[in-house]
Amino acid sequence: MQAQVKWCGDLKFLGTSDSGHSVIMDGNQGAHAPSPMEMVLMSVASCSSVDVVSILQKARQPITDCVVEVSAERADTVPAVFTSIHLHFVVRGHDTSGNDVSDSHVERAVKLSAEKYCSVSIMLGASVDVTHSYSVEPYSPV
């Protein structure tokens, strides 16, 4: 796997992945685009979300929505690394028979992602306190 990051002036950078997708990042505390540290948070949330949604779909759970609320703390000194990251999954789902997503299935999916599948979370967990929680909310049509 490879990537490239090109300086675009000021403190803006264009990151291009090996698969050809691009994203703008802003080193000016996220004034014009996500900062690199914000990208780390979004990366861990998206990696873990992929696992949770996939596991629930394979378990034939009627998932219709999954949102991960990420909060983090950083060190007060340079380098201002993350000292803790918390991922809270909010899962919704409802099938035509009136069945909601199973709480036990969501608990299992979050645990499997945290302990076995999410490479970003597991990698960060080597130096950061990464925690997970979840809630299953009743279905509400959008």
Side-chain angles (χ1 to χ4, degrees), residues 7 20 36 38 59 76 78 108 110 118 141:
W7 176 46
E38 289 171 322
D76 292 331
V78 175
R108 179 179 173 271
V110 170
C118 180

Side-chain angles (χ1 to χ4, degrees), residues 18-84:
D18 205 21
S19 60
H21 297 88
S22 298
V23 63
I24 297 286
M25 293 170 281
D26 186 359
N28 190 18
Q29 299 180 345
H32 302 287
S35 72
M37 293 300 277
E38 289 171 322
M39 295 291 290
V40 170
L41 291 182
M42 289 188 288
S43 293
V44 70
S46 60
C47 180
S48 205
S49 294
V50 167
D51 297 333
V52 169
V53 169
S54 177
I55 291 165
L56 290 172
Q57 287 176 331
K58 288 176 183 170
R60 297 189 178 167
Q61 290 295 297
I63 184 171
T64 58
D65 192 32
C66 179
V67 175
V68 183
E69 299 164 350
V70 187
S71 56
E73 298 291 327
R74 293 179 72 178
D76 292 331
T77 58
V78 175
V81 298
F82 288 121
T83 56
S84 67

Side-chain angles (χ1 to χ4, degrees), residues 88-122:
H88 179 75
F89 292 82
V90 180
V91 178
R92 292 180 185 88
H94 186 80
D95 66 17
T96 56
S97 301
N99 300 311
D100 289 331
V101 174
S102 161
D103 188 84
S104 63
H105 276 86
V106 174
E107 179 180 27
R108 179 179 173 271
V110 170
K111 184 176 180 175
L112 282 170
S113 175
E115 295 176 0
K116 185 174 182 180
Y117 293 116
C118 180
S119 52
V120 178
S121 179
I122 293 166

